[in-house]
Amino acid sequence: MSQRMETLLHDVVLLPLADAFLEVGVFVAVLVVAFGVAQWRYGDRVTGFLQRRRRIAPAVGALLGVIPGCGAEIILATLYARRSVSFGTVVAALVATTGDAAWVLLAGAPAFTLKLHLLTFALGLVTGYAVDALGFSPRSTLRSEERETAYAGVRAGGGAGPVRQPALGTALNEAVSGVSDAMSRALPSVGGAVAVRAVGAVPGAFWMLAAAGFALSVPVSFRLVDTSTLTVDPYLVLGVAGAVLAIAVFVTSRLGLSDDSVESASEQSLRAVLRHGAQESSFIVVWVAAAYIAWEALHAFTGFDGSQLPLYGVAGVLCGALIGFVPGCAVQIVLAGLYLAGGVPVPTLVANAVSQDGDALLPLLATDRRAALWATTITTVPALLAGLGVLLL
């Protein structure tokens, strides 16, 4: 292999894979588990409080929307389908949420993300109360019994309908099972075979690599060590291995453009929290890696620096807001990854952050299509105002 090919392989494929896992994935994994445990322990209390205190529900909805991920918004969407919370509460949460893209931004730009969350919370608060003050609540075209049947179908299907385990996923699951057994013997301090069996072979192996990756990534991120001078760079080796394992989790879990569902938003055990945490972290790693690799390949082969994209100025704000119409979190994660890579300006990202609804729109589309379409349209208004405001500033 020529020197140029080796350089391209390193810069365009291997390093972006390692960065996606070690700069984003391992930190996301820690945050996902922390929030997942909190939601598992206290989620029922919050939803009960919302149903009892409907007047302040939009404020609580906006606050829940700020929480990274889509679990809280999915719960609110299903509560609205049962008419347990107001439409303004759901809109407040959808405006405030940045979905799974929040994990990416928190890992790569925490200070900026906190400011962004303050903005989305304020916009969600105002928009939610405005919707309720106007008395706007779109009526579903479904009768109550049909809506309840659709809701039950979403729960039974995990939000995506019945799917079969793909052959590739089965093969990967069997292959990684052997690898994870070997890792459990080599890394007993991380939990060993007990931890692997508790959450499954592939997710268990992911958590062991994530633990090792976190231990390595912290000193590297704070420039306490420089692994690139070693003969074999552990950052590159562990990072690529972790990214490949994340792809295995992605495939075996049958993930696509979304990862959250009604079931995953209401975990009933620590085992379920860990299993879904591995899936959510892997989902983010895969899409961030796709963004990183695409960006590096574009730059390496064309010298393209992003300034030619329609993501700047007023057109960029409009583009970011319109991308928010796409349900699910995959496209939004890619946009956040491009922002961290320097390919997306702040106004575009802000417009997209406010406009996007994450995975919460999917169960709402299944149970109350008219409400879902109105909700995603309404969130575009504060998105355009916020993006244009940041652009002017």
Side-chain angles (χ1 to χ4, degrees):
M1 185 182 295
S2 66
Q3 182 66 34
R4 173 166 172 75
M5 287 300 295
E6 290 180 2
T7 302
L8 284 175
L9 178 64
H10 176 274
D11 294 346
V12 176
V13 180
L14 298 181
L15 191 56
L17 283 174
D19 287 343
F21 182 70
L22 292 177
E23 288 187 357
V24 176
V26 295
F27 295 102
V28 165
V30 172
L31 292 168
V32 163
V33 168
F35 281 103
V37 170
Q39 185 170 305
W40 164 52
R41 295 293 298 273
Y42 306 110
D44 290 341
R45 298 182 189 179
V46 174
T47 54
F49 178 83
L50 278 171
Q51 291 173 283
R52 292 191 303 270
R53 306 291 179 88
R54 295 174 69 92
R55 288 187 177 181
I56 64 170
V60 180
L63 188 61
L64 290 175
V66 172
I67 298 174
C70 300
E73 295 77 47
I74 288 175
I75 292 173
L76 289 178
T78 54
L79 287 176
Y80 174 73
R82 293 181 165 189
R83 297 302 185 260
S84 297
V85 297
S86 68
F87 186 61
T89 302
V90 177
V91 170
L94 294 181
V95 170
T97 188
T98 51
D100 286 336
W103 301 120
V104 180
L105 296 172
L106 271 175
F112 168 78
T113 307
L114 292 177
K115 296 176 183 177
L116 179 62
H117 281 172
L118 287 174
L119 174 63
T120 59
F121 169 75
L123 290 172
L125 189 71
V126 172
T127 309
Y129 274 112
V131 168
D132 279 354
L134 293 172
F136 182 71
S137 181
R139 292 181 178 273
S140 174
T141 55
L142 298 176
R143 296 192 301 272
S144 59
E145 60 270 19
E146 293 174 329
R147 189 167 56 246
E148 197 64 28
T149 301
Y151 172 79
V154 170
R155 288 193 64 88
V163 288
R164 292 180 296 174
Q165 175 77 9
L168 178 59
T170 304
L172 272 173
N173 193 53
E174 293 174 354
V176 178
S177 177
V179 175
S180 62
D181 286 341
M183 290 179 64
S184 66
R185 292 190 293 271
L187 297 171
S189 60
V190 183
V194 175
V196 171
R197 293 191 185 99
V199 298
V202 183
F206 173 85
W207 281 119
M208 287 190 288
L209 267 186
F214 184 77
L216 173 65
S217 184
V218 170
V220 171
S221 298
F222 287 95
R223 306 292 190 271
L224 300 178
V225 296
D226 183 6
T227 61
S228 62
T229 59
L230 301 176
T231 304
V232 177
D233 187 354
Y235 180 92
L236 194 65
V237 173
L238 185 58
V240 171
V244 170
L245 190 55
I247 295 171
V249 175
F250 183 89
V251 173
T252 58
S253 301
R254 306 181 299 276
L255 301 176
L257 295 178
S258 63
D259 69 302
D260 284 306
S261 65
V262 177
E263 289 298 329
S264 67
S266 305
E267 305 293 9
Q268 299 300 315
S269 67
L270 181 59
R271 176 183 178 179
V273 169
L274 291 173
R275 182 185 294 275
H276 178 248
Q279 294 173 354
E280 184 161 15
S281 303
S282 298
F283 174 81
I284 291 169
V285 169
V286 167
W287 287 108
V288 169
Y292 283 2
I293 291 174
W295 184 253
E296 291 298 331
L298 191 65
H299 182 69
F301 291 110
T302 68
F304 187 82
D305 63 0
S307 60
Q308 299 91 333
L309 288 172
L311 297 177
Y312 290 78
V314 175
V317 172
L318 181 61
C319 186
L322 291 178
I323 291 174
F325 273 99
V326 180
C329 291
V331 177
Q332 329 300 339
I333 289 172
V334 170
L335 201 68
L338 290 175
Y339 165 76
L340 295 180
V344 172
V346 173
T348 301
L349 183 74
V350 168
N352 176 258
V354 178
S355 176
Q356 66 163 291
D357 307 310
D359 294 335
L361 201 64
L362 299 175
L364 194 58
L365 279 168
T367 57
D368 198 329
R369 190 177 303 109
R370 179 176 295 182
L373 295 176
W374 269 109
T376 194
T377 302
I378 289 172
T379 59
T380 308
V381 177
L384 290 172
L385 294 176
L388 292 173
V390 173
L391 180 65
L392 291 175
L393 293 175

